[in-house]
Amino acid sequence: MNYARMVIEKEAPEEYGYDRIRFNLSESSIADQKLSDMGLSLPDLTLFYGEHRGDRELRALVAAQDDGLSPDDVLVTAGAAGALFIISTALLSERDHLAVVRPNYATNIETPRAIGCAISYIDLDFDDGFAVDVERVAAGLRPNTKLISVTCPHNPTGTTMG
């Protein structure tokens, strides 16, 4: 696989430097912080690698939200990027097609691209209030479309769908 970084990743605050950004109105990450800076003191905190699928008690709480699920049906990830990577690599192959409403998260574009998946883009338009046009999405589908990627609430515009 050949992962190509998107421009938005290269311009991320982590790379550009938080100290160089005066007003950050759209980025979802934050500068590194210490627990003591937030008034927290956790002297007995044990840090460890953890369970690969997530803490069993947490998975049980999540599973309890839906009848018929068990903790073994739940996978907890350490962030959205890991979960999105798992979704793409589990559902898509080089024989499949993906329709992406964009802008979208880099992981939802670059992971399928690295797999060799065909991708069609449905670009949102500022002049239309970044509204998703269902007919345009439908027109972007192919017989081998396996996944349609839409973010909601949409990042970075904040728009939502009814």
Side-chain angles (χ1 to χ4, degrees), residues 39-102:
L40 298 174
S41 175
L42 303 169
D44 295 328
L45 177 66
T46 302
L47 301 175
F48 64 100
Y49 192 76
E51 299 178 42
H52 291 294
R53 294 181 296 159
D55 180 78
R56 179 145 180 96
E57 289 182 33
L58 175 58
R59 290 187 294 120
L61 288 170
V62 172
Q65 302 301 309
D66 198 349
D67 291 336
L69 286 182
S70 77
D72 291 335
D73 297 321
V74 175
L75 176 65
V76 177
T77 64
L84 296 171
F85 178 86
I86 291 168
I87 289 168
S88 289
T89 56
L91 296 179
L92 300 171
S93 74
E94 67 281 351
R95 296 176 305 279
D96 298 318
H97 174 258
L98 163 69
V100 176
V101 174
R102 86 179 164 183

Side-chain angles (χ1 to χ4, degrees), residues 98-157:
L98 163 69
V100 176
V101 174
R102 86 179 164 183
N104 204 307
Y105 298 117
T107 307
N108 288 342
I109 296 170
E110 295 304 328
T111 302
R113 183 182 299 167
I115 292 168
C117 181
I119 305 172
S120 292
Y121 301 102
I122 299 93
D123 290 322
L124 298 178
D125 189 342
F126 174 83
D127 293 331
D128 293 330
F130 298 107
V132 175
D133 183 335
V134 176
E135 290 178 15
R136 287 186 59 220
V137 174
L141 303 183
R142 299 179 185 171
N144 64 332
T145 300
K146 199 148 196 194
L147 183 64
I148 302 169
S149 179
V150 181
T151 61
C152 183
H154 187 261
N155 184 354
T157 68

